[in-house]
Amino acid sequence: MNEKMKTKGAVKTMLLVCCCIVFDISFSQTAEKNQFNEKLEPYIHFLKNEKPLSAKDYILSLFKNNDIVILCERDHREMTQYNLFLDIMSDPYFVNHVGVVFTEVGARNLNPGLDIFLQTEDLSKEEIDKQVLIFQRNCEFPLWEKPNFSNFIKGIHQINQSLRSDKKIQMYPTDILYVEGEETTDKYMGMLENAMVRDSLMADFIIDTFDQMKKDNPKSKALVIMNYRHAYRYDIAYDEGKMNINTGRFLFNKYPGRVANVRINGYNNIEKMEAVNDGKWDAAFQAVNLEDAGFNFNGSPFGDDRFEDWPYYKNDYTYKDMFTGFVFYMPIEKFELGMGVPYLMEDGFYDEYVKRDSLFNQALNKLRNVNDSIPSPDKNEIMKLNDTDISKLPTLDQVKASIQKWLE
């Protein structure tokens, strides 16, 4: 074969290879385009081109221009989100510039004992477990059976072990669901009456405590963790002419221009546990293989969507109206719902719980002016709370189906 024929053959081979490459690229792009519903395009384009920060870095970035950042905790039982919270709180920026967290979960009468525990060094594992169990048993009345509270305070205590005394993280539970001194039906009635204005009382506690911090240090900042509507920017109706007042709204009004709030991915409708925006948001993150991200709602297609987190009464809000930003931290199939705390019902606490439960229901009857029978707790079921049970979202299959239909 002469050189001329060899050259022609090489050129043909190169052309064939190039055609194959172009065809592969074209096919790949077509396939990628057809892997999702066209209605996902604005969301996917945003996630690909904006290159959002990680969830942790986004939340920390909000403290640059705000004194208070409110996180809208997803399901109280969900455990992976607390990995994010502790990751934020162990970050040097948080330690040096924030250092304070207020929580909805936890009765405020745990203060100052909880803070003293969190600041204490060189406790044995047995001493830590014993004190944490006491805090858990008195977290909320009549009972708080979710393990996130114990895990969270243990995590903060661990972080504090490596920090000098003036840098140790402080935690302030804000709730009013507790009874001081001897427990009576009347005291439980008082607690339930306070619960009717619970958000304003939690906000008052945060504001009073934070204002004192500001007097001592004008640069003070704080993280606030509130669940569901308590973190909303605005109050929201639950019936015609009836409003739920929200802690978040009080804080936004008190500190204009100095508060940000962040919705954490989860599900809509606390009763039905449905996928957000019929699965569209989760599908967009799945399409770009993104499990950890945060961004402002304003300027994103996510923020322009109608706010549907509150199912009880129609509203005209968008997500950017109600929240400053959004973080996606772990897809919903990785969520872990925890119930129960080791040894929770031991050492006579089961009997204490039965007494509390009876007084709680008696007070509830009295408040409602009814005389309903009060069933005894099922001991077998209650004793199961001595162990932590971890499960997946009960509606996971239907949620995944809602997500998948956008990716076909």
Side-chain angles (χ1 to χ4, degrees), residues 141-186:
F141 273 50
L143 177 69
W144 191 256
E145 70 282 63
K146 300 163 187 72
N148 276 334
F149 183 74
S150 288
N151 295 339
F152 192 48
I153 59 180
K154 279 186 178 180
I156 296 174
H157 184 269
Q158 181 60 43
I159 292 169
N160 279 347
Q161 297 310 292
S162 61
L163 302 177
R164 67 181 198 228
S165 59
D166 63 326
K167 293 293 184 181
K168 292 186 188 297
I169 294 165
Q170 295 176 288
M171 174 180 169
Y172 296 95
T174 66
D175 209 349
I176 47 79
L177 299 181
Y178 64 91
V179 173
E180 288 189 307
E182 182 186 357
E183 297 173 31
T184 64
T185 302
D186 286 343

Side-chain angles (χ1 to χ4, degrees), residues 257-301:
R258 295 158 57 195
V259 178
N261 64 341
V262 179
R263 177 188 165 90
I264 302 173
N265 69 304
Y267 53 77
N268 274 343
N269 195 327
I270 198 167
E271 295 173 354
K272 294 184 179 180
M273 300 182 181
E274 300 168 331
V276 175
N277 206 346
D278 196 27
K280 197 184 298 181
W281 287 15
D282 293 87
F285 280 91
Q286 185 172 321
V288 299
N289 195 29
L290 191 58
E291 295 188 349
D292 185 350
F295 50 83
N296 289 337
F297 268 132
N298 195 29
S300 83

